[in-house]
Amino acid sequence: MSILIGVEIEKALANGSIKIEPLDKSQIGPGSIDLTLGNDFRIFEKRSEVYHVKNDSSFEDITRSVHVEDGSYLVIQPGEMVLGITRERITLADDISGRLEGRSRFARFGLAVHVTAGFMHPGISNHQVLEIVNLGNAPLALYPETRICQFVFEQCAGHAKYRGRFVEQSKP
């Protein structure tokens, strides 16, 4: 697999192999596209009892949904994790996959934007859920519309299409 650089990303956008809605051309970088933080989050409830993580477990059982208005913010404490989502919907052809990466400017504050689920399958058409963790020592305020992460595109050797549980996700 090879990574698409800026000019190749622009060609893929023009021919429809990659669709991103909404997209401002200034989000296109030399090897990725910056994605912005949406307004919807899932906050993990404080619990003392054990939650059993098994194949049929659901994150909805231990989280609550929160909407943050534009111009406002959500504070995450040191060691806290929240689920967020990108404003942009990404649609990929069946021979393009990608990786969701943090941005170094925010990593320097201790902000991690995805814990483990950074790979995006070919053929997706959804918003990307962000597993956001504050690894720093100070509370951090998250603002919708911030260019929080980047998406790196890869050309696949072959064709496939994601049909999993989160195929239509639009909320965290």
Side-chain angles (χ1 to χ4, degrees), residues 22-97:
L23 177 67
D24 183 297
K25 294 287 187 186
S26 70
Q27 290 174 254
I28 302 171
S32 66
I33 289 183
D34 288 341
L35 299 177
T36 58
L37 187 59
N39 299 77
D40 295 307
F41 297 87
R42 291 197 75 86
I43 308 297
F44 287 84
E45 300 285 352
K46 306 290 186 218
R47 301 170 65 105
S48 58
E49 67 273 3
V50 173
Y51 185 79
H52 296 270
V53 179
K54 302 187 297 188
N55 288 332
D56 60 349
S57 299
S58 175
F59 66 94
E60 289 102 338
D61 294 342
I62 58 172
T63 61
R64 64 182 167 82
S65 183
V66 173
H67 180 82
V68 176
E69 296 295 330
D70 287 344
S72 192
Y73 58 88
L74 175 76
V75 174
I76 57 172
Q77 298 296 325
E80 187 176 12
M81 177 174 152
V82 300
L83 300 178
I85 197 154
T86 61
R87 252 182 219 273
E88 297 82 5
R89 179 183 193 87
I90 298 177
T91 302
L92 301 178
D94 64 3
D95 63 344
I96 297 177
S97 63

